[in-house]
Amino acid sequence: MEKTSTLSKSSSKTFDIILSAMLITLVFVATLFLNIRLPIAANGGLVHLGTAMLFIVSIVFGPKKGAIAGAFGMALFDLFSGWTLWAPFTFIARGLQGYVVGKIAWSSNRQGNNVMFNILAIIVSVPVMLAGYYVCEAILFKSLVAPFLSIPGNLVQNAVGIIIAIPVAIALKKLPIFK
């Protein structure tokens, strides 16, 4: 009996690791392969599908998976795409954003099934992400003013993310595998 219990715990951990790796990869690929550099200021930022994927992962799988996928997936993008200095800040900002979305979407045993709470979760997460990148840019640019120029691009990125993520998350949550 104990051997079966140990085996199921082991396979459960293995599944959890594999799932986390797949979610990180989804965020990374969504960020890498479809991104548009915005012509807003010197560092207008990017609009990419990684934000939508981070929201989807957080809503469908909860705060832990959302934080892990957002932090690692987007920081890996930074490392492989010439944004290396940003990677540690992205790790924190996007990890926190994924956690906030998942925590609110999964609060009170909702498990990402309440559309209004999912929208609220994303909206609440945006200032967290903005603050993370504001601190990043204040450090990198040695200016408290310059980071304000990136806010419009970051807002566009999050708006695109919510427009894509909410219908996709609704569709996924209807599938038997995610119930």
Side-chain angles (χ1 to χ4, degrees):
M1 184 80 161
E2 188 173 317
K3 205 170 210 172
T4 304
S5 176
T6 305
L7 184 60
S8 66
K9 284 181 187 178
S10 174
S11 60
S12 176
K13 274 188 170 183
T14 302
F15 177 79
D16 189 57
I17 291 168
I18 292 168
L19 179 60
S20 295
M22 289 174 57
L23 297 174
I24 290 166
T25 304
L26 283 172
V27 171
F28 171 71
V29 169
T31 308
L32 182 65
F33 289 114
L34 187 55
N35 64 67
I36 302 164
R37 187 164 168 78
L38 296 175
I40 304 170
N43 186 42
L46 297 170
V47 171
H48 51 73
L49 290 183
T51 302
M53 190 59 70
L54 174 137
F55 294 156
I56 293 165
V57 168
S58 299
I59 290 167
V60 174
F61 294 98
K64 183 178 174 185
K65 294 283 187 268
I68 290 169
F72 285 99
M74 289 200 196
L76 283 170
F77 166 79
D78 285 350
L79 290 173
F80 287 103
S81 301
W83 300 84
T84 308
L85 286 174
W86 297 78
F89 300 100
T90 294
F91 185 88
I92 294 167
R94 293 311 191 129
L96 286 172
Q97 187 174 30
Y99 182 81
V100 167
V101 172
K103 191 68 172 173
I104 294 170
W106 281 60
S107 65
S108 299
N109 206 26
R110 286 185 188 85
Q111 297 182 330
N113 291 315
N114 185 304
V115 175
M116 293 312 293
F117 266 84
N118 296 346
I119 293 169
L120 175 67
I122 293 171
I123 291 169
V124 170
S125 80
V126 172
V128 172
M129 178 262 212
L130 291 175
Y133 281 118
Y134 178 88
V135 169
C136 169
E137 291 183 37
I139 292 168
L140 293 178
F141 300 144
K142 296 178 177 45
S143 168
L144 296 177
V145 177
F148 286 111
L149 298 174
S150 295
I151 291 175
N154 286 329
L155 290 173
V156 169
Q157 184 180 109
N158 280 279
V160 169
I162 196 171
I163 289 167
I164 294 168
I166 293 299
V168 171
I170 289 169
L172 288 174
K173 288 303 243 175
K174 288 181 181 177
L175 296 174
I177 194 168
F178 294 115
K179 287 188 178 190

